[in-house]
Amino acid sequence: MTSNTTAAPARPAVSWLPVVMLALGAFCAGTDNYLIAGILSDMSRDLHMPVAAGGLFVTAYSLAYAVGSPVVLTLVRVRSPRRLLLAAIAAFVVVNLLAAVAWAPWVMTVARIVAGCLAGLYSPLAAAAAAGMVPAHRRGRALAIVMGGISVATLAGVPIGVWIAHLWSWRTAFVFVAALAVVATAGIALSVTASGAAPSASFRQRVAPLRRPAVLLALVVTIAGMCAGLMVYTYVEPIFAAAPAVGAGAVGALIMAHGFGALIGLGFGSSLVDRFGSRPVLLGTLTVFTADMALLPLASHTLVTTFAFVFVWGVVGWAFLPAQQHSMIADAPPEQPPMLLSLNGSAMYFGIALGSAIGGAVIAGLGAGRIWTFATAFAAVAVLLSLVRHTRVTSGRSGRRR
């Protein structure tokens, strides 16, 4: 007896090497941005500048990234996105070597601004390339791998860079990033194939969603949340090195604990949204984050509680991002989700820039002990604005039903 059923054709095997190489480039970008938090004191001392001013290097990188993603990608026109991708990551090697040999603050500032622009250019191109090289049913995983490179940077890249800096010099930490970028450049050149035309949306199209008040409110929530977290994270070394229960020797481990929490938060944030919806996850994580920022000064009286609260900060401080992204695109027109996600990415880095700048001003003017008050206040603003936004969105839906 023969069966009339026909076996389903086997799906072609997927090569994940190109995606991994693209993720390595994202890992370099993430490490490069957050690395300064662990080497801030030594770098500032070597460049003859206050620690609070040294934190502005994070501001320069993040602000350049925030502008670089929508603006530079719109201005740069090439036939081959692969060439632009390779040019961005190869130039990343050069600017990190420039940072490693920086002999004055202005040289480091130039290096950070250019690096931020290159990261803002690389990230969307890498995501698009990864999605285009795998079958449709694997695109979600490919995007998660590439963008996960940034979160893994907080878990592994930054602690390794800080460890290298403590062994030799803060300058060797940038050499470490440059070396990783060399590997990423070679890997992308050898494994990533040519793809279609580069994104051709105009700047007006990219910022069109800003005409919607709900989008503006959502972006301000992202800015406030990231500002609160990075206000502390940028200066985590001088803040916790001065805590009697922590000390400078534990800062690298604290950064790793935060990174491990961030990885868990990003991983489970989407699952929680799928199960409970974006609103409770967003409000819940931001509320816990606010409480964590308010209580961390008390927790830092013992090493164990400090690690516990920093870990929770990493979890909730990053878990709100998938919920925020989901809430932004839930009711968006079909053509707008890519633009909304790009704007939200820019808002993230604008929040990082704002947080590092405000944190530096607070430390310089009021002392590191007052930074928790400002971080808690910005986190609370994120909660309140999120409540306002969800109330307006819910009211709008009810009005449309009538």
Side-chain angles (χ1 to χ4, degrees), residues 76-142:
V76 175
R77 285 285 184 266
V78 294
R79 291 182 178 273
S80 170
R82 178 178 178 273
R83 290 182 181 177
L84 185 56
L85 194 65
L86 278 170
I89 192 65
F92 205 70
V93 176
V94 177
V95 295
N96 271 279
L97 291 177
L98 177 62
V101 299
W103 58 91
W106 72 266
V107 179
M108 180 62 77
T109 301
V110 170
R112 304 312 292 159
I113 291 173
V114 176
C117 287
L118 291 171
L121 183 61
Y122 174 87
S123 295
L125 288 173
M133 289 187 300
V134 298
H137 68 284
R138 298 290 192 187
R139 285 176 185 165
R141 181 180 298 181

Side-chain angles (χ1 to χ4, degrees), residues 238-295:
I239 290 172
F240 287 106
V246 183
V251 170
L254 276 179
I255 291 174
M256 184 176 290
H258 179 276
F260 187 58
L263 196 61
I264 292 176
L266 285 170
F268 284 96
S270 297
S271 300
L272 291 174
V273 169
D274 290 340
R275 184 171 182 179
F276 300 108
S278 60
R279 180 178 181 179
V281 176
L282 184 59
L283 292 176
T285 53
L286 286 174
T287 300
V288 175
F289 174 59
T290 303
D292 194 89
M293 287 289 102
L295 296 174

